[in-house]
Amino acid sequence: MATIEEVRKLILKTIGSSSSSSSKKRSSSDDASSSFKVKKLRKLVLLSLQTDEDDKGAKKTFKKAVQELEVEQRLTLGSDGAITLRKSEDDIKKNKKSKKKKKEKKVKREEDDDDDVEGNSHKRRKHNDDEKDETIQNEEEDDFIKNEEGGDGVDAENNTKKKKPCPGNPNGETRLFLGNLPFAVNDASLRDFLKPAITTHVKWITDSETGQFYGSAFIEVEGTKDGAIATTEKNGQSLLGRPIKINYAPAREGDVWPPRTAVVTGGKGQAGGSGVKAMSEKPENCVKLFVGNLSYEIDDDIIVKFFGNVDAEVKAARWLHHKDSGDFKGCGYVEFWNTEACEKGAVLNGKNLLGRPIRIDWTD
């Protein structure tokens, strides 16, 4: 099996050779480049290595090589799955030097044509040329900022730090999409999960009519490094028993982002809003849950099977009854063998059991 270094070199060579071919065909363009879809590039690389394209080990090596090259900012992986070779800083500098030389030649020609103009006029023209040079240089710097940050140049002074590209975040994004969130998640637990990445805003995605939490959210992080931490270190990690999906999600044109408030939708920072009642603060090493709004047909076997759907093994269940009549109150307590199982069980808050959305909360 090929090493990661061999795969890295072959990836760059494959994209680079295609890019060179594109440049010859479009010689008038300074930005001629080529891109490949991930699957197409992987197929070409594995064929070059005489490796079966269905080989799982080879696929993993290819994926790791792409990730390393993206972190090193050697290439860009777009949201559409296209891999593009990034222009190096040397290329950008060469581009600038070429433009500067053309500009100097133009100025020299103008000066040669106007040698007979009086000294004062010459000084005035040179002063204007200096101002022109400064303006063009500023415009080039603005274009460079736009290209590197993906921004529109507005508030460049304030955004440069926040939107500066970094390893793992080549486009300098600070808006992220989170999916497969547990229904028991709240603002505090989400922020703790994402640390050391700093979250500044959370927007829970809920049904506009019922307020039911969809299990997803948009967040704004403090800086691009926080975005890189979230997408590379936290993506796929478990939060309350569920592996979280985290992707970059640049705001669309016209979106009001970040929101005016730090937490949007839901009471007391709870994701579910009115659709799922907020859970109280979780006690340390909690192994017991309160369960309410239960059907009168509930029994031990049904509740054990219900929590078993999320691998939360039940130790015991205790149902509450009215003292006088002995009638079932529609609620009770479920104890688990450990706090991990208890956390898994909590994700079922608001889920239907025997036709009723059950209410779950932490309890001592």
Side-chain angles (χ1 to χ4, degrees), residues 265-327:
T265 305
K268 298 182 180 178
Q270 177 69 19
S274 57
V276 180
K277 189 174 180 182
M279 295 178 68
S280 59
E281 186 176 353
K282 179 191 171 189
E284 189 175 354
N285 299 320
C286 182
V287 293
K288 189 185 295 184
L289 296 174
F290 168 81
V291 289
N293 197 35
L294 298 170
S295 167
Y296 286 88
E297 297 174 6
I298 193 71
D299 60 30
D300 288 9
D301 290 337
I302 292 174
I303 203 72
V304 168
K305 186 176 179 180
F306 177 69
F307 284 109
N309 290 326
V310 291
D311 295 322
E313 190 176 358
V314 174
K315 181 179 181 181
R318 180 167 66 89
W319 312 115
L320 301 183
H321 298 80
H322 290 283
K323 289 182 180 179
D324 298 333
S325 64
D327 293 336

Side-chain angles (χ1 to χ4, degrees), residues 170-221:
N171 294 322
E173 302 295 347
T174 54
R175 184 178 188 258
L176 310 177
F177 171 79
L178 279 63
N180 201 38
L181 293 168
F183 285 83
V185 71
N186 57 25
D187 180 57
S189 61
L190 181 61
R191 290 173 187 269
D192 286 343
F193 169 75
L194 293 170
K195 287 179 180 177
I198 300 173
T199 306
T200 60
H201 297 78
V202 178
K203 183 177 182 180
W204 306 111
I205 302 176
T206 59
D207 186 276
S208 58
E209 294 182 0
T210 66
Q212 181 72 37
F213 180 43
Y214 282 149
S216 51
F218 289 105
I219 67 167
E220 178 76 7
V221 292

